[in-house]
Amino acid sequence: MTDPSSGNAAEPGPPPPPPGYGYPPPFPPQYLGSGVYNDPSAPFGRHPVTGEPLSDKSKLVGGLLQLLGLFGIAGIGRIYLGHTGLGIAQLVVGLVTCTVGAIIWGLIDAVLILTGNVRDPYGRPLRDGT
């Protein structure tokens, strides 16, 4: 307590924290249950090997849309993934070559997307599943 003769009254409230204790970190991990943490910098998860944040786009959806090239409509998968220039180029090649170019390019591109060799426009790997 304080000396009543000094004129300072005791301040109400909890005592200050001991030295070495400060504020909590700005972004503590948020516990979601069963050992899963939500990472605000990677809302769609992280790549299991490299630790890179995953894209919001799915390689399964992109690859299946790219397989529409078998019907002469190549480029839809690339447009879905955010590569609109390449997708439009594939559509034009399909129209000019009477769908032969769309079938070949669409099939090769679908394999590349489904095997994980294509990234989104921000350089993030595509996530698995839908």
Side-chain angles (χ1 to χ4, degrees):
M1 298 295 253
T2 59
D3 183 19
S5 61
S6 68
N8 291 337
E11 295 180 14
Y21 289 93
Y23 291 103
F27 291 110
Q30 299 170 1
Y31 183 68
L32 298 176
S34 71
V36 177
Y37 288 94
N38 185 17
D39 185 0
S41 63
F44 296 99
R46 294 195 173 269
H47 192 273
V49 177
T50 63
E52 296 174 284
L54 292 175
S55 173
D56 58 335
K57 305 295 183 186
S58 164
K59 55 176 135 166
L60 180 64
V61 173
L64 290 177
L65 285 172
Q66 195 63 29
L67 281 176
L68 289 175
L70 296 175
F71 303 107
I73 317 171
I76 304 299
R78 285 294 189 155
I79 292 172
Y80 163 76
L81 294 176
H83 302 284
T84 52
L86 188 57
I88 291 173
Q90 288 178 349
L91 284 169
V92 169
V93 166
L95 289 174
V96 170
T97 62
C98 297
T99 69
V100 174
I103 291 171
I104 296 169
W105 196 357
L107 186 62
I108 292 171
D109 215 20
V111 169
L112 288 174
I113 292 171
L114 289 170
T115 57
N117 292 325
V118 175
R119 292 174 172 253
D120 74 353
Y122 302 107
R124 300 176 300 194
L126 302 175
R127 62 186 173 89
D128 293 328
T130 55

